[in-house]
């Protein structure tokens, strides 16, 4: 099939590369000319395991990127994969979606080929029906187009594998033909399909992310209590997670969730609920636990070393999780803010995320190795579960005092203290 993917960010690019892998002819429409050049040269502008291999195999052949919407006219389907960043009030900013819909509509104007417009971006329930359908309709002057909503469940760093081996494929459509055309694109992938209307598909994405975020905040609250009682929360959640009704995933206690999705999506869901006159107390608590959790690291630190003024604190790990250079909503950010407020000197290390964090905190020291950050430090806070941190041990002897507090369960050395274990 001929597919146009609108947006060459991490969702769009992974989607496009995987569709090409499934045997489709794919065009990416991306405004950033630099990204377009990189994609066509087979060089992924972002790091995702397995992506480079897919680009090498298909870029310039069945996967082509460009800045124009021309390829939409000739495609069987277009997938909207543009960003929906948070607006100031927590709601999702849909301006990129609106612009993409107008351009898709203009490209389809005067054409007669059957075409289905599919929303893959995470959008509030009702967006496909109330914004996408009318905007594309007006811009195209057509009333014969199909519309569908097909959310993604891709984890950063593992997106290619998640795409090709999903737990389920959710396809929301107003009419069965549009849904069938989306289902046909995924032929070759072995996963149950969940067919719904577009609004339910939109809600499935929010409800999934919010439940995963809830599992994390719940685990962290149990973890905080376990620490007071001298119980290992990891043992507890192993015992809890083996219950099939719970599942063992996303029960790792720590400094809280970050990234470009969970915080933004839970905030958008809260906004949506409040707009409907609901009081979403559970979701608000999920966010509140997550706001407080990283600050517990600083609380423990103060208990151990006293006043922070003039102390050197090593921060290991800046990315919101391991395997990425992404620092969006990283729990390291509020921790570094609190350390600086307390007058501490921060020496930070991360295998990938230093350039990104330097833009947020230009005033702190960045180190090329963990050992360098630890040398002479009064204490160390570990914020990201990078596997390489599990091998650290002798490096902690370089510290002025060996006070090591981990916000992720990753260290194997003696004498460390966990945030909630
Ligand atoms: C998340 C979802 O997992 C994807 O299914 C979804 O498609 C994606 O958001 C999205 O909406 O696009 P991602 O943000 O890449 O994916 O990251 P996760 O691997 O889910 O981790 C999110 C945060 O939760 C990280 O800070 C991680 O360290 C934290 N986490 C995760 C925990 O604190 N404990 C856990 O047990 C698991």
């Amino acid at each position: 099939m001929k597919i146009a993917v609108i947006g060459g960010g991490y969702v769009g690019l992974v989607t496009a590369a995987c569709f090409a892998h499934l045997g489709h002819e794919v065009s990416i429409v991306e405004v950033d000319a630099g990204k377009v050049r990189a994609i066509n040269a087979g060089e992924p502008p972002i790091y995702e395991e397995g992506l480079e291999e897919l680009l090498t195999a298909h870029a310039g052949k069945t996967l082509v990127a460009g800045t124009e919407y021309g390829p939409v006219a000739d495609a069987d389907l277009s997938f909207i994969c543009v960003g929906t960043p948070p607006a100031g009030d927590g709601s999702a900013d849909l301006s990129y979606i609106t612009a993409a819909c107008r351009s898709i509509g203009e490209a389809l104007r005067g054409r007669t080929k059957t075409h289905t417009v599919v929303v893959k971006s995470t959008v509030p329930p009702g967006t496909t029906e109330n914004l996408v359908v009318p905007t594309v309709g007006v811009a195209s002057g057509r009333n014969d187009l199909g519309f569908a909503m097909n959310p993604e469940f891709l984890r950063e760093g593992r997106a290619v594998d998640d795409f090709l081996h999903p737990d389920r494929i959710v396809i929301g459509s107003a009419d069965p033909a549009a849904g069938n055309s989306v289902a046909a694109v995924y032929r070759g992938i072995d996963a149950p399909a969940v067919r719904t209307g577009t609004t339910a598909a939109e809600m499935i994405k929010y409800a999934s992310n919010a439940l995963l975020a809830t599992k994390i905040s719940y685990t962290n609250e149990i973890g905080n209590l376990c620490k007071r009682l001298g119980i290992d929360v990891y043992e507890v959640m192993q015992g809890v997670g083996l219950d099939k009704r719970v599942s063992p995933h996303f029960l790792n206690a720590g400094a809280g969730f970050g990234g470009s999705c969970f915080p933004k999506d839970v905030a958008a869901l809260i906004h949506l609920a409040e707009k409907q006159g609901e009081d979403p107390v559970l979701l608000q608590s999920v966010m509140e636990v997550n706001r407080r959790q990283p600050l517990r690291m600083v609380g423990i630190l103060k208990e151990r070393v006293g006043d922070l003024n003039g102390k050197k604190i090593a921060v290991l790990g800046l990315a919101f999780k391991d395997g990425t250079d992404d620092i969006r909503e990283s729990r390291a950010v509020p921790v570094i803010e609190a350390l600086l407020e307390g007058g501490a000197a921060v020496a930070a290390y991360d295998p990938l995320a230093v350039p990104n964090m330097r833009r947020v905190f230009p005033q702190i020291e960045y180190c090329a190795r963990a050992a360098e950050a630890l040398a002479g430090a009064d204490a160390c806070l570990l914020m990201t579960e990078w596997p390489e941190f599990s091998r650290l041990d002798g490096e902690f002897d370089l510290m002025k005092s060996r006070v090591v507090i981990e916000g992720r369960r990753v260290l194997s050395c003696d004498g460390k203290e966990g945030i909630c274990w």
Side-chain angles (χ1 to χ4, degrees):
M1 298 175 96
K2 280 193 175 174
I3 299 172
V5 173
I6 317 304
Y10 117 91
V11 173
L13 183 54
V14 169
T15 300
C18 290
F19 282 163
H21 176 74
L22 292 176
H24 302 297
E25 251 181 75
V26 187
S27 302
I28 298 176
V29 181
E30 165 59 49
V31 284
D32 182 337
K35 259 189 205 168
V36 166
R37 267 194 302 279
I39 295 168
N40 287 332
E43 294 157 7
I46 47 158
Y47 179 74
E48 268 302 328
E49 206 176 303
L51 185 58
E52 193 167 2
E53 287 84 340
L54 292 184
L55 287 195
T56 307
H58 305 292
K61 295 170 207 151
T62 51
L63 178 65
V64 177
T67 53
E68 303 297 325
Y69 276 75
V72 170
D74 205 26
D76 300 295
L77 303 102
S78 45
F79 281 79
I80 300 176
C81 301
V82 298
T84 51
D89 60 358
S91 67
D93 174 355
L94 301 176
S95 54
Y96 297 121
I97 298 273
T98 310
C101 288
R102 282 205 194 102
S103 302
I104 290 172
E106 282 158 17
L108 293 172
R109 181 171 272 277
R111 301 279 169 157
T112 50
K113 185 173 175 178
T114 308
H115 188 97
T116 304
V117 178
V118 191
V119 177
K120 199 173 249 310
S121 307
T122 301
V123 292
T127 303
T128 304
E129 196 176 309
N130 303 322
L131 178 75
V132 175
V133 173
T135 309
V136 175
V138 168
S140 65
R142 288 174 62 173
N143 59 9
D144 62 336
L145 297 169
F147 290 92
M149 203 283 152
N150 170 224
E152 52 84 14
F153 303 99
L154 311 176
R155 286 165 300 174
E156 252 181 76
R158 296 168 183 88
V160 170
D161 192 55
D162 280 349
F163 193 100
L164 296 173
H165 305 101
D167 290 341
R168 79 297 206 190
I169 297 169
V170 175
I171 301 171
S173 65
D175 66 286
N180 291 345
S181 67
V182 178
V185 173
Y186 287 95
R187 212 163 277 148
I189 290 186
D190 182 23
V194 180
R195 297 282 293 260
T196 65
T198 55
T199 320
E202 289 161 338
M203 193 61 172
I204 287 171
K205 172 60 191 261
Y206 277 110
S208 296
N209 272 4
L211 180 56
L212 293 170
T214 303
K215 283 182 91 171
I216 297 169
S217 278
Y218 171 78
T219 305
N220 288 340
E221 191 159 295
I222 294 292
N224 296 338
L225 176 60
C226 282
K227 185 172 170 87
R228 295 218 179 253
L229 297 172
I231 302 167
D232 183 341
V233 64
Y234 275 74
E235 281 182 4
V236 170
M237 293 326 261
Q238 190 191 3
V240 172
L242 285 172
D243 185 327
K244 283 195 191 67
R245 295 168 298 177
V246 178
S247 111
H249 305 288
F250 279 66
L251 296 178
N252 296 315
F257 56 81
S260 65
C261 302
F262 286 175
K264 160 178 92 80
D265 292 349
V266 179
L269 199 52
I270 289 172
H271 180 86
L272 187 79
E274 286 172 345
K275 237 175 73 185
Q276 296 299 318
E278 286 298 321
D279 184 14
V281 280
L282 178 62
L283 296 175
Q284 271 153 351
S285 303
V286 168
M287 291 297 267
E288 183 57 15
V289 170
N290 203 51
R291 188 189 67 77
R292 292 186 199 180
Q293 199 65 8
L295 302 177
R296 295 181 79 96
M297 295 287 286
V298 183
I300 298 170
L301 174 68
K302 284 182 182 161
E303 273 167 29
R304 298 282 300 273
V305 303
D307 188 7
L308 296 182
N309 200 20
K311 301 254 160 60
K312 174 179 173 176
I313 310 297
V315 174
L316 299 187
L318 303 171
F320 84 93
K321 65 176 184 181
D322 65 302
T324 177
D325 65 353
D326 196 338
I327 56 155
R328 283 176 288 178
E329 298 288 336
S330 165
R331 298 297 81 192
V333 172
V335 163
I336 293 173
E337 261 166 16
L339 293 176
L340 292 177
E341 243 165 60
V346 176
Y349 167 73
D350 187 283
L352 288 181
V354 165
N356 284 336
M357 199 56 104
R358 205 187 281 280
R359 284 193 277 274
V360 180
F361 296 110
Q363 68 273 48
I364 68 171
E365 182 192 350
Y366 293 94
C367 304
R369 287 176 308 121
E372 209 180 290
L374 292 168
D378 295 277
C380 162
L381 300 183
L382 184 142
M383 298 304 304
T384 315
E385 60 271 47
W386 286 103
E388 69 171 65
F389 292 158
S390 67
R391 295 188 289 274
L392 293 175
D393 192 353
E395 289 84 347
F396 294 116
D397 295 332
L398 300 167
M399 298 171 67
K400 200 153 135 199
S401 52
R402 204 175 149 128
V403 175
V404 181
I405 303 160
E406 56 176 354
R408 302 285 169 188
R409 164 90 54 115
V410 59
L411 295 174
S412 53
C413 62
D414 292 331
K416 77 253 172 191
E417 177 173 356
I419 177 173
C420 43
W421 54 89

